Amino acid sequence: MRLFVGVEIPGDVAAELYPLARGIKGLDAQTPDNMHITLKFIGNVDPGLAAEIDQALAAIAFEPFDLQVQGLNVFASSRKIRIFWAGVKDQPVMRQLASRVENALLALEECPDMDMRKFTPHITLGRNRNAARATIEQAVADHVSLSSRVFTIDRFCLYQSHATTDGPEFRVIAAYDGKDTERQSLDLADELVTGDFE
């Protein structure tokens, strides 16, 4: 099963971002329901490890924080733009949360596919299939002053990535509000999707 940890984007903010990629020919636009900010990509893990990951994440304390979308950018090589994304105004509390998530997962020593690249907070808007580089770069330039309303993040989530013929779909299978309260551990039988995983 393929897992990652992230924070959700409010529906109205995601709906405003969606047309930015949808309007570029050759980009596979991320649907609003799938938009999020990845804190840590865990990768493929044995389903039996999910409960341990859940317990590790549940122990992380954090305070709610505000975010605001700010500008557009890309991940690219010299040959091709791969990902078209929206940035967020720098938020030290989110960076601290991402670091705590990484440390909690590293302590498990059972996530060999975990992405260890530097945390770059972003909202993926589209994956490039065959869009012209100049078109994407123009979109970035045209929206240099892009910003959203301020929204509050009061929980982070464990997601499962499910491969479909229309691309990956992301499902929240557990959520954490950082409070030291009684909660049920992840029930694999009820929460995990079974089938074709990317």
Side-chain angles (χ1 to χ4, degrees):
M1 58 186 299
R2 195 173 179 88
L3 302 177
F4 65 91
V5 182
V7 296
E8 299 157 299
I9 302 301
D12 63 310
V13 174
E16 290 178 1
L17 294 172
Y18 180 60
L20 298 174
R22 191 75 178 90
I24 299 177
K25 185 178 180 181
L27 269 188
D28 290 330
Q30 185 96 293
T31 61
D33 287 346
N34 269 353
M35 289 183 189
H36 63 276
I37 298 173
T38 299
L39 296 175
K40 179 58 62 175
F41 177 75
I42 301 172
N44 294 308
V45 301
D46 186 289
L49 183 60
E52 291 183 47
I53 290 173
D54 174 56
Q55 290 176 356
L57 297 176
I60 296 173
F62 81 102
E63 295 296 326
F65 55 88
D66 289 340
L67 279 183
Q68 184 176 25
V69 174
Q70 189 172 67
L72 301 178
N73 211 327
V74 299
F75 291 133
S77 67
S78 59
R79 294 185 300 174
K80 183 180 179 180
I81 290 175
R82 297 181 295 105
I83 304 292
F84 175 61
W85 53 270
V88 292
K89 191 172 182 180
D90 188 48
Q91 174 50 270
V93 178
M94 182 169 64
R95 291 186 180 278
Q96 184 181 64
L97 175 59
S99 178
R100 289 177 179 174
V101 168
E102 178 178 278
N103 290 337
L105 295 171
L106 285 174
L108 296 177
E109 299 181 347
E110 296 182 70
C111 303
D113 294 336
M114 191 162 68
D115 184 358
M116 295 308 299
R117 288 175 293 186
K118 180 182 177 182
F119 176 56
T120 303
H122 67 281
I123 305 163
T124 295
L125 302 183
R127 293 174 172 80
N128 189 13
R129 189 167 16 90
N130 53 21
R133 189 182 194 107
T135 302
I136 299 175
E137 289 176 343
Q138 188 61 53
V140 172
D142 289 345
H143 295 88
V144 67
S145 60
L146 174 75
S147 64
S148 72
R149 69 173 178 86
V150 175
F151 53 93
T152 300
I153 300 297
D154 57 9
R155 71 178 198 168
F156 66 100
C157 303
L158 179 63
Y159 288 82
Q160 186 175 20
S161 176
H162 179 210
T164 75
T165 55
D166 295 323
E169 292 182 355
F170 309 131
R171 179 182 180 221
V172 172
I173 59 173
Y176 315 93
D177 61 9
K179 297 176 183 176
D180 186 18
T181 57
E182 291 292 325
R183 63 182 295 276
Q184 288 187 329
S185 296
L186 186 63
D187 186 335
L188 302 183
D190 289 341
E191 298 297 336
L192 297 186
V193 179
T194 56
D196 181 22
F197 293 96
E198 184 183 50

